[in-house]
């Protein structure tokens, strides 16, 4: 019996155990991947191009063989189960609609395949079409739609029924910025209503932060961190995550701890930032540390204020709500500061800034791990 929107949700737990993917030519695309995904979660796989996120998604879908390890759905190993028997719905960037079918028939297709009754089908299609603002387009064929409208039809088709898993690979990549933002919200709302476990692939860290209940940050086939957006943002596990998540990027620089006359400092170029003692790493790591601070944790200071650093404003970027201030100074790493949009400095001017020392992250330079 087909389960559709609004009916009791099926399970949708997913475990990924030591999953590996080798492609011919010795490409180790996915390396010892482990994840436990709960029913109803919205998981985002995020990472740079080529990091292996699509490969992992395709192994979960059954579209790619698994070289090692297990994919387990609701307690059952599905490595050898063909895609059509996994009860998943997929949307990809290059969605394929049936060109000769009207929009309403395209959306209804998955229900038809499962012999859902006419009335039920009609009301499901109407409901999902209304949510994705397609209700006035139902009688058209895909050829008479814009790219964004077609993409919404593809989403509607995948979300018209209630599978165990939604798998989405960059489904908003072809949309303009405004539509992307709108569609993000529609997808989140629909997913929440349906309660279907969802895995969403993107290289866009803003999309990851705003959509995921948990984010899996992947680099070079390796899972770097798996946590809520807040955890990943506030406590990046390593240098890669620190640099990848957050826009503008976290400021990162080589640093050394200095202890002098009972006070502790971290070097920032030729400047010193007063530090609380407990934040300092052991002496054994001297010379091997990177420090990081988010742009919002740097702020204008009164000159002469303890810990104030003199820098020059290089570029200003005003978003209307806030100002990104790009700072330079001889012998200092470049820094980015976020301030209110009413910041009055001008490019070329000097400015005093201070860093919130309790917000500084420290990383082992070689292993990249957070200290
Ligand atoms: P993108 O965001 O660009 O789609 P991705 O993170 O989804 O990238 P994958 O497509 O999973 O990355 O690719 C992971 C790695 O595996 C890449 O190095 C890629 O070149 C390689 N790869 C993917 N498909 C194949 C294939 N069929 N044969 C050989 N290597 C492949």
């Amino acid at each position: 019996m087909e389960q559709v929107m609004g009916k009791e949700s099926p399970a949708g737990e997913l475990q990924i155990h030591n999953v590996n993917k080798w492609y011919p030519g010795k490409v180790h695309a996915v390396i010892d991947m482990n994840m436990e995904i709960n029913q109803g979660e919205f998981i985002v796989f995020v990472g740079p191009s080529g990091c292996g996120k699509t490969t992992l998604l395709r192994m979960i879908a059954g579209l790619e063989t698994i070289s090692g390890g297990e994919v387990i759905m609701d307690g059952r190993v599905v490595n050898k189960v063909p895609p059509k028997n996994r009860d998943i719905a997929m949307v990809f960037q290059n969605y394929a609609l049936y060109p000769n079918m009207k929009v309403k028939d395209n959306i209804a297709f998955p229900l038809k395949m499962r012999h859902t009754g006419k009335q039920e089908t009609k009301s499901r299609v109407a409901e999902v079409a209304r949510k994705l603002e397609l209700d006035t387009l139902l009688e058209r064929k895909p050829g008479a739609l814009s790219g964004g409208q077609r993409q919404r039809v593809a989403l509607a088709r995948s979300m018209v029924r209630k599978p165990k898993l939604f798998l989405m690979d960059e489904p908003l990549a072809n949309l303009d910025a405004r539509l992307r933002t709108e569609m993000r919200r529609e997808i989140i709302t629909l997913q929440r209503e349906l309660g279907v476990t969802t895995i969403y692939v993107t290289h866009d860290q803003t999309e990851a932060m705003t959509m995921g209940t948990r984010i899996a940050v992947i680099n070079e086939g390796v899972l770097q961190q798996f946590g809520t957006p807040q955890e990943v943002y506030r406590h990046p596990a390593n240098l890669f995550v620190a640099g990848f998540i957050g826009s503008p990027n976290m400021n990162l620089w080589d640093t050394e701890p200095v202890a002098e006359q009972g006070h502790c400092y971290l070097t920032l170029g030729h400047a010193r930032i007063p530090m609380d003692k407990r934040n300092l790493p052991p002496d054994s790591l001297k010379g091997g540390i990177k420090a990081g601070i988010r742009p919002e944790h740097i702020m204008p200071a009164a000159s002469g204020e303890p810990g104030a650093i003199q820098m020059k404003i290089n570029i200003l970027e005003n978003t209307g709500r806030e100002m990104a201030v790009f700072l330079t100074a001889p012998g200092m790493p470049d820094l980015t500061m976020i301030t209110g949009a009413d910041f009055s400095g001008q490019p070329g001017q000097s400015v005093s800034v201070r860093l919130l020392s309790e917000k500084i992250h420290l990383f082992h330079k070689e292993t990249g791990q957070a200290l």
Side-chain angles (χ1 to χ4, degrees), residues 23-24 27 29 47-56 64 169-170 201 203:
Y23 282 116
V27 179
S49 181
C51 74
K53 48 198 190 300
T54 295
T55 299
L56 182 59
E64 200 68 71
D169 193 350
E170 308 246 12
V201 165
H203 62 270

Side-chain angles (χ1 to χ4, degrees), residues 90-288:
M90 290 179 270
V91 197
F92 295 122
Q93 190 180 334
N94 301 318
Y95 47 91
L97 298 176
Y98 299 102
N100 296 323
M101 282 187 196
K102 289 179 176 175
V103 166
K104 65 177 185 189
D105 299 319
N106 263 288
I107 299 175
F109 194 76
L111 299 180
K112 196 174 160 205
M113 294 317 293
R114 286 162 179 83
H115 311 293
T116 309
K118 260 196 176 144
Q119 271 316 312
E120 178 93 57
T121 299
K122 213 174 157 188
S123 71
R124 290 297 126 216
V125 171
E127 192 181 341
V128 77
R130 185 169 39 76
K131 291 215 166 90
L132 292 171
E133 291 177 35
L134 292 166
D135 23 7
T136 58
L137 307 173
L138 289 173
E139 299 299 326
R140 290 200 204 167
K141 288 191 178 161
L145 299 177
S146 72
Q149 289 166 338
R150 274 181 229 157
Q151 187 64 319
R152 275 186 284 158
V153 176
L155 272 168
R157 186 176 58 184
S158 74
M159 297 183 97
V160 75
R161 67 182 195 96
K162 194 165 179 176
K164 278 194 172 134
L165 264 185
F166 284 132
L167 302 180
M168 304 186 181
D169 193 350
E170 308 246 12
L172 308 183
N174 296 329
L175 306 186
D176 66 48
R178 192 186 60 84
L179 202 53
R180 264 179 98 113
T181 315
E182 272 173 31
M183 292 295 292
R184 264 185 219 156
R185 292 189 198 125
E186 292 304 338
I187 293 174
I188 294 168
T189 310
L190 267 173
Q191 189 270 345
R192 254 187 228 147
E193 279 176 24
L194 295 172
V196 173
T197 314
T198 300
I199 302 179
Y200 186 103
V201 165
T202 181
H203 62 270
D204 178 341
Q205 57 91 23
T206 310
E207 213 157 86
M209 287 294 288
T210 52
M211 296 184 88
T213 50
R214 281 195 294 163
I215 307 178
V217 186
I218 303 171
N219 188 36
E220 295 183 348
V222 177
L223 181 62
Q224 306 289 316
Q225 191 167 3
F226 189 31
T228 64
Q230 206 179 49
E231 279 163 2
V232 169
Y233 189 81
R234 290 202 185 159
H235 307 288
N238 58 38
L239 271 171
F240 177 81
V241 178
F244 190 77
I245 298 287
S247 175
N249 294 349
M250 184 186 276
N251 297 288
L252 293 166
W253 69 95
D254 289 340
T255 192
E256 282 205 11
V258 180
E260 215 171 70
Q261 296 174 348
H263 294 289
C264 295
Y265 305 88
L266 271 184
T267 58
L268 170 75
H270 59 66
R272 288 176 175 192
I273 308 160
M275 291 294 287
D276 189 331
K277 211 169 189 165
R278 71 202 140 96
N279 283 335
L280 285 188
D283 271 357
S284 56
L285 281 175
K286 221 169 180 160

Side-chain angles (χ1 to χ4, degrees), residues 67-89:
S67 315
E70 289 174 334
V71 172
I72 302 168
M73 283 175 73
D74 294 329
R76 173 173 164 238
V77 177
V78 294
N79 287 32
K80 300 258 184 287
V81 177
K84 66 179 173 40
N85 296 341
R86 293 191 186 196
D87 195 16
I88 47 185

